[in-house]
């Protein structure tokens, strides 16, 4: 199947961005662009966990609600959440009310604090798992990779939850650890340029 579709401006884009109106801006301005802000990295890996079994459209539509409910994904604040906070979040219709996933975010917040203590930042840890160019599959053809499997194993060893290889691969795509925009997508070159100017915190 052709991985491209013409966008509203006539330029080709990844086909998936046309499947929902809100995907276009996300595709053009966020997906695949490198991120080193710890709160954004934590937010994304949490939201990928919430997406498990659901569509990204569902999560993206609720993203601002998630941000409000989880204090901007400040893991230092979330790590102090109690059972009362879990019950509060289970009553919040603006998010996905799944006890296991909510408790995983709180659990992972404490693991994030531990990881920062070990590596200085989440960014330095995550970007240390950036794959080499020769390890990459053809864009839009894979849902896991050697790098995502390795990062998933490393996170699980550190006690993180809801971080399987597919979840981690989607995280790596979105946060720019790989540029998985389809060949010919007008945004691929923009993401590549952003990556070329990005100073990896792991180096």
């Amino acid at each position: 199947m052709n991985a491209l579709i013409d966008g509203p401006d006539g330029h080709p884009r990844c086909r998936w961005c046309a499947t929902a109106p809100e995907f276009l801006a996300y595709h053009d301005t966020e997906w695949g662009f490198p991120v080193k802000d710890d709160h954004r990295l934590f937010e994304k890996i949490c939201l990928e966990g919430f997406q498990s079994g659901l569509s990204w459209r569902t999560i993206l539509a609720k993203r601002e609600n998630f941000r409000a409910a989880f204090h901007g994904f400040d893991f230092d604040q979330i790590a102090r959440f109690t059972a009362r906070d879990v019950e509060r979040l289970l009553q919040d219709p603006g998010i996905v009310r799944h006890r296991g996933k909510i408790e995983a975010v709180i659990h992972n917040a404490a693991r994030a604090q531990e990881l920062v203590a070990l590596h200085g930042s989440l960014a330095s840890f995550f970007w240390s798992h950036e794959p080499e160019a020769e390890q990459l599959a053809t864009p839009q053809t894979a849902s896991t990779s050697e790098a995502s499997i390795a990062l998933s194993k490393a996170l699980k060893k550190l006690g993180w939850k809801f971080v399987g290889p597919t979840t981690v691969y989607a995280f790596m795509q979105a946060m720019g650890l790989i540029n998985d925009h389809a060949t010919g997508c007008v945004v691929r070159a923009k993401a590549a340029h952003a990556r070329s100017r990005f100073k990896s915190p792991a180096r």
Side-chain angles (χ1 to χ4, degrees):
M1 179 186 291
N2 187 352
L4 296 171
I5 193 168
D6 286 341
D9 56 3
H11 293 296
R13 285 173 171 79
C14 300
R15 178 172 289 276
W16 65 262
C17 77
T19 58
E22 57 269 37
F23 283 177
L24 183 65
Y26 175 70
H27 168 274
D28 284 6
T29 64
E30 292 188 54
W31 196 78
F33 289 83
V35 173
K36 62 180 177 181
D37 177 84
D38 275 7
H39 291 168
R40 282 193 62 199
L41 291 165
F42 186 69
E43 171 187 290
K44 184 58 177 173
I45 205 155
C46 290
L47 292 182
E48 288 295 345
F50 270 107
Q51 186 194 344
S52 179
L54 302 171
S55 72
W56 176 242
R57 185 179 189 181
T58 297
I59 303 302
L60 187 60
K62 295 175 178 287
R63 184 165 64 170
E64 290 304 321
N65 298 331
F66 276 110
R67 287 171 172 169
F70 287 100
H71 300 296
F73 287 92
D74 180 337
F75 45 83
D76 289 320
Q77 291 192 55
I78 298 169
R80 295 194 293 269
F81 279 16
T82 65
R84 182 176 295 179
D85 291 294
V86 174
E87 295 307 315
R88 169 180 60 82
L89 291 165
L90 285 169
Q91 301 304 314
D92 186 342
I95 67 169
V96 174
R97 292 178 285 183
H98 183 292
R99 181 181 293 274
K101 293 176 181 180
I102 290 169
E103 290 178 342
V105 171
I106 299 168
H107 172 87
N108 287 347
R111 306 292 77 75
Q113 289 181 313
E114 294 165 357
L115 196 153
V116 169
L118 285 171
H119 295 273
S121 67
L122 296 187
S124 62
F125 173 78
F126 285 128
W127 280 93
S128 71
H129 289 81
E130 178 187 9
E132 299 294 334
E134 59 270 17
Q135 295 178 297
L136 300 177
T138 301
Q140 308 273 312
T141 64
S143 59
T144 63
S145 69
E146 288 184 15
S148 79
I149 292 168
L151 178 52
S152 172
K153 286 181 178 178
L155 288 168
K156 288 178 179 179
K157 188 174 181 179
L158 292 167
W160 289 59
K161 298 180 178 179
F162 281 93
V163 287
T166 302
T167 293
V168 170
Y169 190 75
F171 165 82
M172 296 175 83
Q173 289 174 302
M175 296 290 95
L177 278 82
I178 59 174
N179 181 359
D180 213 36
H181 283 277
T183 302
C185 171
V186 68
V187 182
R188 182 173 176 81
K190 296 177 182 177
H193 180 67
R195 281 176 47 82
S196 71
R197 295 173 59 86
F198 180 75
K199 184 177 180 180
S200 172
R203 299 190 188 118

